[in-house]
Amino acid sequence: MLEFLVVTLASLLAGFVDAIVGGGGLILVPALFGVFPGAAPATLFGTNKGASVWGTAWATLQYSRRVTLPWSALLPAAVAALAGGFLGAWAVTQVSAEGLRRALPFILGAVFLYTLAKKDLGRDHTRHHQGHTEALLASLIGLVIGFYDGFFGPGTGSFFVFLFVRVLGYDFLHASASAKLLNTATNLSALALFAWKGHVWWHYALVMAVANVVGSLLGTRLALKHGAGFVRVFFIVVVGALILKTGWDAFGPAA
């Protein structure tokens, strides 16, 4: 019962963070590894996806009711993200992700500093592109970050948010809402692969999924209530935490 309680609470908090700006994996994945240190990593990653996919899907639904989303651009982007996730999952079976693991803290650091320097970044929703151009760029983002999610994964939601803000001109609220759809697609592709390989503990994942949806509901309501400025601040905090976590993983004593 204690194991169920710990991972369920972690899933609730992860859903809350994920719904606002992504980064729920910072909470849930370490919790799973801490509670089940002897389990196969693939099983823990699969169980994480089995819970988190429901939270991101629920957040997408909640955002879509309150925020006007460019579905003509996002739907093909979601398909591209799904394909990218499969390709990334296949690629990680062929080559090592060690180089990316060591580069990631520096990539996130650049995102962090750029966001701090551009104080107006993502405050106003001014779409830079329309029609086929927007759909093409959104699909390219979906494919590249989807591949990254399948290949490695940490910070996927934050990368989606940043690129929607920087490349497409969305404010942080619209970017976060759009990112949820694409993150749902990448989670689905990863979950399908893990489930096919038998790497999901469904008895844990289903309970955690309920908690993840509750956390997602709370996080979505908070983001919608306080708007783009709040999401921007939350984004900076989460990216900062990602830098510390990925830097420790890449260069800490256990690296």
Side-chain angles (χ1 to χ4, degrees), residues 64 67-78 125 127 129-131 134-135 138 164 168 170 174-175 177-179 181-182:
S64 68
V67 176
T68 301
L69 297 177
W71 293 106
S72 59
L74 293 181
L75 290 178
H125 186 60
R127 289 161 65 186
H129 309 280
Q130 302 288 332
E134 184 179 35
F164 274 119
L168 299 182
Y170 296 2
H174 284 79
S178 302
L181 176 64
L182 272 63

Side-chain angles (χ1 to χ4, degrees), residues 21-255:
V21 77
L26 269 175
I27 299 164
L28 187 51
V29 172
L32 285 166
F33 274 85
V35 173
F36 306 107
T43 300
L44 300 183
F45 285 126
T47 304
N48 168 58
K49 293 296 185 185
S52 61
V53 68
W54 298 101
T56 52
W58 183 258
T60 302
L61 178 62
Q62 294 301 303
Y63 276 120
S64 68
R65 291 174 174 173
R66 299 278 300 277
V67 176
T68 301
L69 297 177
W71 293 106
S72 59
L74 293 181
L75 290 178
V79 173
L82 188 72
F86 274 115
L87 289 172
W90 172 81
V92 80
T93 66
Q94 308 298 313
V95 296
S96 171
E98 181 62 22
L100 181 57
R101 184 171 75 95
R102 291 186 172 273
L104 185 58
F106 301 101
I107 298 171
L108 287 165
V111 170
F112 182 83
L113 292 175
Y114 186 89
T115 305
L116 284 179
K118 299 287 186 178
K119 297 188 183 301
D120 292 330
L121 183 72
R123 292 192 180 276
D124 298 315
H125 186 60
T126 307
R127 289 161 65 186
H128 294 166
H129 309 280
Q130 302 288 332
H132 293 305
T133 303
E134 184 179 35
L136 180 62
L137 289 171
S139 296
L140 184 60
I141 291 170
L143 182 65
V144 171
I145 304 303
F147 179 90
Y148 166 78
D149 192 27
F151 186 73
F152 193 53
T156 294
S158 298
F159 281 129
F160 273 136
V161 170
F162 177 77
L163 290 173
F164 274 119
V165 170
R166 179 64 185 85
V167 176
L168 299 182
Y170 296 2
D171 66 18
F172 271 96
L173 181 62
H174 284 79
S176 184
S178 302
K180 293 300 155 289
L181 176 64
L182 272 63
N183 217 166
T184 299
T186 61
N187 282 342
L188 277 173
S189 65
L191 178 60
L193 182 65
F194 285 126
W196 179 47
K197 295 289 188 179
H199 286 302
V200 182
W201 284 341
W202 290 110
H203 58 297
Y204 281 105
L206 294 176
V207 175
M208 290 160 56
V210 175
N212 200 262
V213 168
V214 172
S216 178
L217 176 62
L218 296 173
T220 304
R221 287 184 174 178
L222 197 62
L224 288 168
K225 179 180 179 180
H226 294 287
F230 168 78
V231 178
R232 183 183 190 274
V233 172
F234 211 89
F235 174 83
I236 291 170
V237 171
V238 168
V239 171
L242 276 166
I243 292 169
L244 295 175
K245 174 66 167 61
T246 57
W248 179 263
D249 290 344
F251 302 105

